[in-house]
Amino acid sequence: MLLHISHNDLDGVSCGVLTKRFLREVDNIYCNYNEIDHILAEINTAEYERILITDMSPSRRAFERLQGEIEIIVIDHHESSTWLKEITETVHDISRCATMLTYEWLADMGKDVSSYRDLVECVNDFDMWHLKRKDSLQMNMLFMKLGVERYMDRFVRRPYNGFNEDEMLIVDLETERRDKYIHAASKSGFAMKDANGLDFFTVFAEEYSSELGNHIIKDLEMDYVIIINMQRKKVSLRSRPAVDVRKLAELNGGGGHKNAAGFSFTFDFCVMDFLRDIGVVYEG
């Protein structure tokens, strides 16, 4: 039996679709970045032959606790997991999403995964924020509306060959709601400047972090955006190409990519303390 631990976003869950479809004997667990160490600490290694971690990585301390007890494989595309290549089997490439890397890993094992190529390319287009395909943003909408279990069930049962009529209706309705939400949210935030003279925008929002961040950066000409989700206790960071927000996420226990990162927070998180730490000058 394989234990597959993965991030709980579109990319991470799509990795789970592939392992469930082609490996069968799999237990899937989905979590945030700050939860993986706790999950690894609670595992009964006697129940599993090996552990697969995709689209995220544990801390060195959490990994070392299990080292020697069970085989651990990591498939990831974040800079923060580079160190794992020296001590365990690791598939690592920052130019492609974890779903794409998992797809290629399965193909190298001799699995005929070709029927899932379109889904994999769609997820890669969204997660790497290429947005060359119209359906990649729509796929993330569908994922958000279906939730993890329904999304898993839908795509494990059959590959992606375009949305069916019911799925397209969900996407169309959600597109209308998203556009209204982004417009309203972008009017409710605060423009600020950090200690390095960079312009950023802070906004409280619970949905569409990537789309909202992209809209604010382009339309309001910001260097980066801080999106605070109080419901999920999560901060999402988005930036223009030249600005690296991953380091800010890592300083707060999170991770991600140069232009798209994030971290989770606890009940005692103070927004003003966080902003003060990056040297905020409030503009209005």
Side-chain angles (χ1 to χ4, degrees):
M1 175 70 75
L2 172 73
L3 175 62
H4 182 185
I5 305 171
S6 195
H7 194 202
N8 57 5
D9 68 352
L10 175 66
D11 187 23
V13 176
S14 296
C15 294
V17 167
L18 295 175
T19 58
K20 199 73 172 180
R21 173 67 178 81
F22 293 103
L23 297 181
R24 304 290 185 176
E25 295 296 315
V26 182
D27 279 346
N28 297 94
I29 296 176
Y30 302 102
C31 61
N32 285 317
Y33 295 121
N34 66 324
E35 297 172 319
I36 185 170
D37 284 3
H38 175 73
I39 289 170
L40 289 174
E42 297 294 317
I43 287 171
N44 180 0
T45 56
E47 295 181 6
Y48 301 101
E49 296 175 7
R50 54 184 177 163
I51 297 172
L52 172 66
I53 301 172
T54 58
D55 199 33
M56 63 196 320
S57 59
S59 68
R60 186 179 294 271
R61 185 176 181 180
F63 180 86
E64 289 176 349
R65 278 201 299 262
L66 290 175
Q67 200 170 11
E69 289 187 30
I70 189 169
E71 179 186 0
I72 301 175
I73 305 165
V74 178
I75 301 177
D76 193 27
H77 64 137
H78 299 99
E79 289 279 5
S80 56
S81 61
T82 305
W83 62 274
L84 284 159
K85 293 190 290 185
E86 301 175 2
I87 55 178
T88 193
E89 182 181 344
T90 304
V91 179
H92 187 268
D93 185 342
I94 63 171
S95 69
R96 288 172 291 173
C97 75
T99 300
M100 180 71 77
L101 298 177
T102 302
Y103 175 88
E104 293 170 352
W105 177 71
L106 289 167
D108 289 343
M109 292 171 57
K111 305 293 182 181
D112 182 7
V113 292
S114 58
S115 60
Y116 277 77
R117 183 74 192 186
D118 201 26
L119 175 65
V120 169
E121 291 181 347
C122 184
V123 173
N124 188 71
D125 187 68
F126 175 80
D127 195 68
M128 300 304 296
W129 209 241
H130 299 315
L131 303 186
K132 294 180 179 179
R133 298 174 55 135
K134 179 182 178 181
D135 61 347
S136 65
L137 278 171
Q138 295 173 333
M139 182 63 74
N140 190 59
M141 284 183 186
L142 185 66
F143 168 73
M144 296 300 292
K145 298 311 294 182
L146 292 181
V148 171
E149 295 303 324
R150 290 191 181 94
Y151 178 86
M152 281 281 295
D153 181 64
R154 155 57 180 107
F155 288 103
V156 168
R157 283 190 291 108
R158 62 184 189 279
Y160 175 61
N161 295 302
F163 300 116
N164 63 33
E165 185 176 349
D166 291 338
E167 291 165 350
M168 200 65 239
L169 176 60
I170 293 172
V171 167
D172 287 343
L173 291 173
E174 191 61 16
T175 299
E176 293 177 10
R177 195 180 75 83
R178 178 205 63 187
D179 292 345
K180 293 177 181 177
Y181 183 87
I182 288 175
H183 177 76
S186 64
K187 301 292 184 183
S188 65
F190 305 91
M192 303 181 184
K193 192 179 292 288
D194 68 15
N196 297 313
L198 295 176
D199 294 311
F200 72 96
F201 197 83
T202 301
V203 61
F204 290 88
E206 297 175 354
E207 299 179 272
Y208 293 110
S209 296
S210 294
E211 293 93 327
L212 176 58
N214 192 51
H215 171 78
I216 290 172
I217 287 167
K218 287 184 176 180
D219 286 28
L220 303 185
E221 299 182 343
M222 293 288 143
D223 293 307
Y224 62 100
V225 181
I226 298 171
I227 304 169
I228 303 171
N229 184 335
M230 297 302 293
Q231 183 182 51
R232 296 184 62 190
K233 298 183 178 63
K234 179 180 179 182
V235 173
S236 296
L237 306 166
R238 300 294 184 269
S239 68
R240 61 180 176 84
V243 177
D244 189 348
V245 290
R246 179 181 61 239
K247 295 178 182 177
L248 181 56
E250 290 174 349
L251 285 172
N252 288 275
H257 305 285
K258 177 182 177 182
N259 304 122
F263 62 90
S264 298
F265 58 83
T266 57
F267 181 77
D268 60 356
F269 175 76
C270 177
V271 176
M272 287 311 300
D273 286 346
F274 169 69
L275 295 178
R276 196 175 296 114
D277 286 344
I278 58 177
V280 167
V281 177
Y282 180 58
E283 289 190 345

